[in-house]
Amino acid sequence: MTDLTEAAAALRALPPSCGPVRLVAVDGHAGSGKSTFTGRLATALGGAPVLRLDDLASHEELFTWTERLTERIIEPLARGATARYEAYDWTLRRFIEPRELPADPVVLIEGVGAGRRALRPYLARLLWMERAAEESWERGRRRDGPGLSVFWDGWTTAETRHFLADPSRPFANALVREVREGYMMLPGPVSTAMQDRTITHGDQFRPPY
């Protein structure tokens, strides 16, 4: 699958997972292409709202933003209300820019750790960008340039520790692989496990995305 139209239709057809919202996470290593893919998926969904986890994280809290996410994003969406939060400015090193995230039928959350344990109960689907860590980090370093090399040194250590303690990929419904023409959706570990188990009366299987 290189056209995301089919994937978008499948996501819209899912039952809500967080109040009236179908919350879809796009996780993967830094530099793996999450932002570009999420932007294209949002377009295929007709302009679905996107939460960038870079807006909730900070220099001091690269991964310890779960409470902020729960209070500012999950709780309002679960009530069907618009979420309001302050976005972090990575240059000024403080939260300053007020933003809103409406409780649309599908809302995308993109960023490293989007499929973390605390968030999974609220997700309709978890998508994982299928690109190895070292390749992803090298792409990210080239994108950001030598001026951020020290930051990247600290980031890769923090990311490795995070995924060791709280991995996302084993719980992914689909693996997103970038190809020359676009993207290919492959069944993730969760979908594969469901397909491999013994089928009993009443079992229902949904598409792996």
Side-chain angles (χ1 to χ4, degrees), residues 112-182:
V112 181
R116 61 176 47 195
R117 184 182 303 113
L119 184 55
R120 287 197 293 270
Y122 305 98
L123 297 179
R125 282 296 181 269
L126 169 56
L127 311 181
W128 174 268
M129 297 300 296
E130 187 71 340
R131 180 172 268 124
E134 292 296 338
E135 179 186 352
S136 298
W137 296 338
E138 179 59 30
R139 291 174 81 246
R141 286 178 183 273
R142 289 199 305 268
R143 176 195 65 201
D144 293 343
L148 289 178
S149 61
V150 174
F151 174 83
W152 269 98
D153 290 343
W155 172 269
T156 55
T157 299
E159 182 184 304
T160 300
R161 289 173 177 169
H162 167 73
F163 280 134
L164 283 174
D166 192 355
S168 296
R169 189 183 184 280
F171 304 94
N173 301 100
L175 307 178
V176 183
R177 182 170 295 167
E178 189 174 356
V179 295
R180 180 174 299 179
E181 300 81 9

Side-chain angles (χ1 to χ4, degrees), residues 197-205:
R197 73 180 183 178
T198 301
I199 301 176
T200 60
H201 180 70
D203 278 339
Q204 296 181 353
F205 297 98

Side-chain angles (χ1 to χ4, degrees):
M1 177 194 303
T2 57
D3 182 2
L4 295 178
T5 302
E6 183 181 342
L11 293 176
R12 283 194 293 264
L14 294 172
S17 59
C18 181
V21 174
R22 294 150 186 82
L23 202 59
V24 178
V26 180
D27 204 339
H29 299 291
S32 61
K34 297 181 302 300
S35 296
T36 300
F37 168 77
T38 301
R40 294 179 181 176
L41 181 58
T43 298
L45 285 162
V50 178
L51 172 69
R52 309 284 183 185
L53 291 179
D54 284 350
D55 291 340
L56 294 185
S58 68
H59 286 88
E60 291 73 29
E61 297 178 314
L62 292 178
F63 289 100
T64 55
W65 36 256
T66 301
E67 184 176 353
R68 186 178 303 116
L69 174 68
T70 301
E71 293 179 355
R72 302 293 181 89
I73 307 299
I74 298 299
E75 292 180 1
L77 294 184
R79 300 193 304 268
T82 295
R84 294 177 172 83
Y85 62 100
E86 293 76 40
Y88 186 71
D89 188 306
W90 289 85
T91 301
L92 298 178
R93 303 177 71 101
R94 57 193 176 95
F95 291 93
I96 58 169
E97 186 178 353
R99 294 187 181 177
E100 294 186 345
L101 190 74
D104 281 13
V106 180
V107 173
L108 306 178
I109 296 184
E110 175 270 316
V112 181
R116 61 176 47 195
R117 184 182 303 113
L119 184 55
R120 287 197 293 270
Y122 305 98
L123 297 179
R125 282 296 181 269
L126 169 56
L127 311 181
W128 174 268
M129 297 300 296
E130 187 71 340
R131 180 172 268 124
E134 292 296 338
E135 179 186 352
S136 298
W137 296 338
E138 179 59 30
R139 291 174 81 246
R141 286 178 183 273
R142 289 199 305 268
R143 176 195 65 201
D144 293 343
L148 289 178
S149 61
V150 174
F151 174 83
W152 269 98
D153 290 343
W155 172 269
T156 55
T157 299
E159 182 184 304
T160 300
R161 289 173 177 169
H162 167 73
F163 280 134
L164 283 174
D166 192 355
S168 296
R169 189 183 184 280
F171 304 94
N173 301 100
L175 307 178
V176 183
R177 182 170 295 167
E178 189 174 356
V179 295
R180 180 174 299 179
E181 300 81 9
Y183 297 95
M184 179 180 297
M185 293 279 198
L186 305 173
V190 168
S191 296
T192 301
M194 290 182 64
Q195 292 168 358
D196 289 345
R197 73 180 183 178
T198 301
I199 301 176
T200 60
H201 180 70
D203 278 339
Q204 296 181 353
F205 297 98
R206 300 189 181 97
Y209 41 79

